[in-house]
Amino acid sequence: MTDTTAPAPSRPATRRSVRDRLRGRGKLVVGLVIVAAIVLFAIVGPMLTQDPRDSDNPAMLPPQPGHWLGTTSLGYDVLAQLAEGSRGSLLVGVVAGLLAIVLSLIFGVVAGYSRGWTDEGLSLVTNVMLVIPGLPLMIVVSSYLSVRSLLVVALILGATAWPGAAVVLRLQSRSLRNRDYVSAARVAGEKTPRILMVEILPNLLPLLTAQFLFAVVLAILGEAGLSYLGLGPNGSITWGTMLNEAQGGGALTRGAWWWFVPPGLMIALLGCALSLVNFSIDEIVNPKLRSVPAAARSVRRARAAGKDITALDEADERAADTGPAGPDGADAEASVDPDSEKERVQA
């Protein structure tokens, strides 16, 4: 008798593929969800809340229906200010991050690929900017500007946030310059701009993305610091200006936690989310980082099971010391493969 039962339908290939790709990327998923929620709040929030400068509300109201995050000492609705401040802080962070990436591309990638006076000149500027403290420079520049819009503050932050990324990109570009396919492109007569755009930059995209996210986090934190010192954007609302107004209004001494906790929490959430995405990109760029948590868990399980990890390591070291030398006469200790040792610990 033949089995006439129809086989169960298999999952769609696309859904299975997306699920498989996201498996083991919990940090990336959590980070992207939080970032998407904050961006959605910045876009939709100001449309659903009242005017953030409306002072007709009662002052210093705690959270309650109608004012879900309370009001300030001037009667401003904290939820409306938080939504408007999300737009301002995200705008400053994105513009500053883009400017920092453009400058790091010029002073990092171009310097790493070029040689001679071009490399020396661009590297000199990078080294000079690298030794100048960023925060004091931002404070001095902002103090001399009487009118500071969101764009001006973003330009100040972006102009001081690129040297570190430029050093990393310069080293990576110098490594890529000696690859065979880049040398073949030079021999084929391709121009330098085309080699940079077609052969170098595509290999730097994961690194550029990580540097951009890092620059955005630094810019948002820098804007909050400047605004807290009273050097933030004039006439605009950001998370930093909310903290400055809360400090000036005596929110801490008057116990108005609803005034300063929401903007501080938003800064912390966005910084954590972008850091999680940045860490995930680092693991994608460097696959060795993915094996570190698994190796640590294996060591913890071995210790929990009562295994002597130190004894195993000492036995491995004695075996390496007394083992035969390689065919080329090299020391046996130098021939120990760290990856194979990690696999033994995991086993």
Side-chain angles (χ1 to χ4, degrees):
M1 184 176 181
T2 59
D3 186 7
T4 59
T5 304
S10 59
R11 292 180 300 173
T14 56
R15 182 186 300 178
R16 186 169 57 248
S17 175
V18 172
R19 188 172 299 177
D20 293 340
R21 290 180 181 180
L22 294 179
R23 185 174 299 166
R25 309 242 183 241
K27 289 185 288 188
L28 179 63
V29 174
V30 172
L32 290 178
V33 168
I34 296 176
V35 172
I38 293 176
V39 172
L40 184 64
F41 176 68
I43 296 174
V44 180
M47 303 177 187
L48 304 178
T49 56
Q50 60 177 256
D51 184 4
R53 296 296 189 190
D54 185 6
S55 59
D56 294 336
N57 306 305
M60 299 301 284
L61 283 180
Q64 58 186 267
H67 300 286
W68 297 104
L69 291 180
T71 61
T72 68
S73 60
L74 297 178
Y76 300 151
D77 185 74
V78 176
L79 180 60
Q81 289 216 328
L82 191 68
E84 187 70 21
S86 301
R87 284 187 175 182
S89 295
L90 290 178
L91 178 64
V92 170
V94 171
V95 173
L98 289 175
L99 178 61
I101 285 300
V102 171
L103 292 176
S104 61
L105 282 175
I106 296 174
F107 289 91
V109 177
V110 176
Y113 180 78
S114 304
R115 287 180 176 175
W117 288 104
T118 304
D119 182 21
E120 295 295 332
L122 295 177
S123 299
L124 176 63
V125 176
T126 303
N127 293 331
V128 170
M129 290 297 297
L130 199 61
V131 298
I132 297 177
L135 182 59
L137 180 61
M138 289 187 295
I139 293 175
V140 171
V141 174
S142 300
S143 301
Y144 276 99
L145 297 176
S146 57
V147 179
R148 297 183 297 272
S149 63
L150 288 174
L151 184 59
V152 170
V153 173
L155 294 179
I156 295 173
L157 294 170
T160 56
W162 60 270
V167 172
V168 177
L169 292 176
R170 179 174 178 269
L171 296 176
Q172 196 67 23
S173 301
R174 178 153 292 190
S175 173
L176 293 174
R177 189 185 191 283
N178 299 322
R179 302 295 174 85
D180 292 339
Y181 60 91
V182 178
S183 301
R186 281 199 302 271
V187 172
E190 293 187 6
K191 302 295 183 183
T192 299
R194 177 176 171 77
I195 295 177
L196 289 175
M197 296 298 296
V198 177
E199 306 293 350
I200 302 293
L201 283 184
N203 293 287
L204 296 176
L205 280 180
L207 190 58
L208 286 173
T209 305
Q211 296 294 340
F212 171 72
L213 295 177
F214 187 63
V216 171
V217 173
L218 282 184
I220 291 176
L221 293 177
E223 185 276 330
L226 287 178
S227 298
Y228 190 78
L229 296 175
L231 300 174
N234 306 121
S236 300
I237 300 175
T238 63
W239 295 332
T241 59
M242 291 182 66
L243 292 174
N244 175 260
E245 292 177 359
Q247 189 270 340
L252 288 173
T253 57
R254 300 165 73 176
W257 58 266
W258 58 87
W259 195 354
F260 59 86
V261 168
L265 189 60
M266 293 293 281
I267 293 174
L269 273 179
L270 183 61
C272 290
L274 292 179
S275 298
L276 288 175
V277 176
N278 202 356
F279 294 156
S280 302
I281 293 175
D282 286 341
E283 292 178 355
I284 294 173
V285 175
N286 187 2
K288 288 184 178 179
L289 293 178
R290 289 199 294 264
S291 62
V292 173
R297 285 195 296 270
S298 300
V299 172
R300 286 197 298 269
R301 290 196 196 101
R303 287 175 176 168
K307 296 181 179 178
D308 189 359
I309 303 298
T310 305
L312 292 176
D313 293 339
E314 291 177 351
D316 292 341
E317 291 177 358
R318 285 197 299 271
D321 293 337
T322 57
D328 55 351
D331 191 8
E333 186 178 358
S335 63
V336 176
D337 186 5
D339 294 335
S340 61
E341 187 174 1
K342 186 183 300 179
E343 291 175 357
R344 287 198 299 274
V345 173
Q346 291 177 354

